[in-house]
Amino acid sequence: MEVINGHKCFYIHRNNNEGADTVIFMNGVLNSAYSWKEQAQMAKTLGLNTLRYDCRGQWMSEVTAESYSFELLAQDLAALMDHCYIEKAHLLGISYGCFISQKFAAMFPKRVQSILAMNTTPVLNAKQRFTLELWCKLNQMNEPELYLESMFPLLYSNDFFEHSKEKLEEARHFLYSGLEHVPTFSAGQYLLNKTAINDLAGEGLIPDAKNIKCPTHIVTSEFDALYPPEYSSLLAEHIEGSELTVLPGLGHAITREAPDVADRLMLDHLKKYAL
């Protein structure tokens, strides 16, 4: 834990191979630095360096009092990279982490070698805004369990609910056990979700997407109930030369619903752009 750009930041930096490329894993709003353990090991076997971190307000990192913005969270990442002596990196992430990736790549284009963005969006529609506003209300009430339960139907496909009940319970247990150690969870989640509501309004991140010039692979899922495929398509339309993949039969949280599929996408991406 170090003070990075004015907040205590929890991160895990592994310099596995001096001079090799670095992979930075970008958390979804419920992911933590620990969530990427197996993927970080995969990157290590390729001879790559890795950085995992909880962004400001998330899990083990400090919840600061001021309002957040994607610009602030991008500046935090730049400061963390400076602290770790990382000049540039590949950004691999899902959902919320890709909001930060989009803003960071637009603000610091020379520091991004490639992007893999899974299950994300550059804007919010009315239903998505309503959902995030509900989450903010539950965060303000400090009802973390109700907050998590309200999210599950939007995270997974119907097939996952019908045939993977054990995995669903594992996901629930993982999140609930984490709550016991993070008394500031609700406060941080409120600030992060409020940031998404504010910064994805109107054109949201579309102006930033137009300024992303690095190789970018956007992945979405057929049954993503939170950010449906058309929003990934919209993002791809505004990133010149980007690649779009639609995964059949899956929901929003592909790293947990179909980790083998997500891992293969990451492995292929790294082999193509980092080796």
Side-chain angles (χ1 to χ4, degrees), residues 14 62 82 121 145 214 219-220 235 237 249 258 270:
R14 296 288 183 261
E62 184 180 10
D82 289 343
T121 181
E145 294 186 1
C214 66
V219 177
T220 184
L235 178 59
E237 287 174 12
L270 293 175

Side-chain angles (χ1 to χ4, degrees), residues 20-164:
D21 286 0
T22 296
V23 182
I24 301 179
F25 295 95
M26 308 296 293
N27 297 348
V29 72
L30 293 183
N31 291 127
S32 73
Y34 293 117
S35 301
W36 302 103
K37 181 179 179 180
E38 292 183 5
Q39 290 78 15
Q41 180 61 38
M42 177 178 67
K44 180 181 178 180
T45 62
L46 295 175
L48 301 172
N49 303 316
T50 61
L51 175 62
R52 295 175 277 157
Y53 77 109
D54 295 343
C55 72
R56 182 189 298 252
Q58 188 181 47
W59 291 109
M60 300 299 291
S61 287
E62 184 180 10
V63 178
T64 54
E66 75 272 24
S67 297
Y68 297 177
S69 67
F70 292 149
E71 181 176 349
L72 174 64
L73 299 179
Q75 291 170 341
D76 287 347
L77 177 55
L80 178 58
M81 290 173 67
D82 289 343
H83 177 78
C84 295
Y85 300 100
I86 300 170
E87 179 182 354
K88 54 188 177 180
H90 303 270
L91 306 183
L92 273 61
I94 188 168
S95 195
Y96 199 102
C98 303
F99 303 154
I100 304 173
S101 295
Q102 292 173 60
K103 177 62 76 171
F104 184 86
M107 291 175 62
F108 305 99
K110 293 182 179 180
R111 305 198 71 171
V112 184
Q113 293 169 283
S114 74
I115 294 174
L116 176 62
M118 300 181 288
N119 300 89
T120 192
T121 181
V123 296
L124 292 180
N125 63 23
K127 181 181 178 180
Q128 292 161 343
R129 176 176 292 274
F130 181 88
T131 299
L132 267 63
E133 287 173 347
L134 170 62
W135 292 349
C136 283
K137 290 177 183 178
L138 293 173
N139 296 148
Q140 286 180 305
M141 294 165 60
N142 194 24
E143 292 283 359
E145 294 186 1
L146 288 178
Y147 169 57
L148 295 178
E149 294 298 329
S150 75
M151 298 180 84
F152 285 133
L154 296 173
L155 297 181
Y156 305 110
S157 68
N158 183 63
D159 185 71
F160 185 79
F161 277 100
E162 288 191 358
H163 303 294
S164 303

